[in-house]
Amino acid sequence: MDYAKAIELNPAEPVYYQNLATVVCLFRKDARAFYDISEEQVFDKALALYRKAMQLDPQNFLLAAVYAESYYGIRPLRTNDALGAWTNALQIAHDDNEREGVSLHLARIKMAAGRFTEARMHLNDVTNAAFADVKRRLEHSLAERENSATNTPAATMSTNALTVPPTH
């Protein structure tokens, strides 16, 4: 694999790890065959590559966001890890636009975890008109989930709040 060779030649270049992680995520079936590993191990490999890239470039917001978004593909959702990744992205966001975009993702993950009050707090942080449509859809989904939670036993409640596509 050319990305692995690039890493071998220059192990201090974060973009090589990011590119390999992205390829592993996007081409999971091929990565499973190439490395002879399970789908869960494919995600673990990709996440480890993203973390290595972030270790080499810790202030790279776009890298942190791509890493955090990779959790959307994992079933079941690794809620705590996803929240940690989005929290890290929030800490290195450069401006209000990036921070509000991350708040939408934090709301989505917390909604999926049934943490509705926290999800609503994140949605309240979003004031940018560019995010109004996504925010409105998430608020609608949150209201439905809150209603469902009060009218349905918790054991039968669905926790898949990822019906709204990521904003990045």
Side-chain angles (χ1 to χ4, degrees), residues 70-133:
S70 67
Y71 282 97
Y72 287 123
I74 302 172
R75 296 288 178 262
L77 178 64
R78 298 177 187 179
T79 306
N80 290 335
D81 293 338
L83 287 173
W86 282 115
T87 299
N88 178 64
L90 182 61
Q91 291 172 349
I92 62 174
H94 301 104
D95 57 35
D96 288 341
N97 191 53
E98 289 177 348
R99 281 186 281 281
E100 290 189 26
V102 170
S103 289
L104 292 170
H105 288 284
L106 285 167
R108 182 180 289 119
I109 299 296
K110 288 184 178 180
M111 187 175 15
R115 295 163 60 177
F116 303 134
T117 301
E118 293 174 59
R120 186 159 310 286
M121 288 171 46
H122 287 293
L123 289 174
N124 290 339
D125 290 340
V126 178
T127 60
N128 187 326
F131 296 126
D133 187 50

Side-chain angles (χ1 to χ4, degrees), residues 20-155:
L20 181 53
T22 300
V23 167
V24 168
C25 269
L26 290 176
F27 300 100
R28 289 187 291 278
K29 185 177 178 182
D30 295 326
R32 284 183 65 191
F34 182 83
Y35 294 111
D36 191 29
I37 57 179
S38 70
E39 184 168 1
E40 183 175 352
Q41 290 170 316
V42 166
F43 279 113
D44 291 340
K45 181 170 193 61
L47 295 170
L49 289 163
Y50 279 128
R51 283 190 298 273
K52 179 64 177 177
M54 291 189 329
Q55 179 184 20
L56 295 169
D57 192 3
Q59 296 304 309
N60 185 331
F61 173 78
L62 292 176
L63 171 59
V66 168
Y67 168 66
E69 284 180 345
S70 67
Y71 282 97
Y72 287 123
I74 302 172
R75 296 288 178 262
L77 178 64
R78 298 177 187 179
T79 306
N80 290 335
D81 293 338
L83 287 173
W86 282 115
T87 299
N88 178 64
L90 182 61
Q91 291 172 349
I92 62 174
H94 301 104
D95 57 35
D96 288 341
N97 191 53
E98 289 177 348
R99 281 186 281 281
E100 290 189 26
V102 170
S103 289
L104 292 170
H105 288 284
L106 285 167
R108 182 180 289 119
I109 299 296
K110 288 184 178 180
M111 187 175 15
R115 295 163 60 177
F116 303 134
T117 301
E118 293 174 59
R120 186 159 310 286
M121 288 171 46
H122 287 293
L123 289 174
N124 290 339
D125 290 340
V126 178
T127 60
N128 187 326
F131 296 126
D133 187 50
V134 174
K135 178 181 177 179
R136 186 176 62 257
R137 287 184 286 162
L138 285 172
E139 287 173 330
H140 178 75
S141 182
L142 178 58
E144 286 180 347
R145 289 176 177 284
E146 287 173 321
N147 184 47
S148 187
T150 58
N151 295 321
T152 305

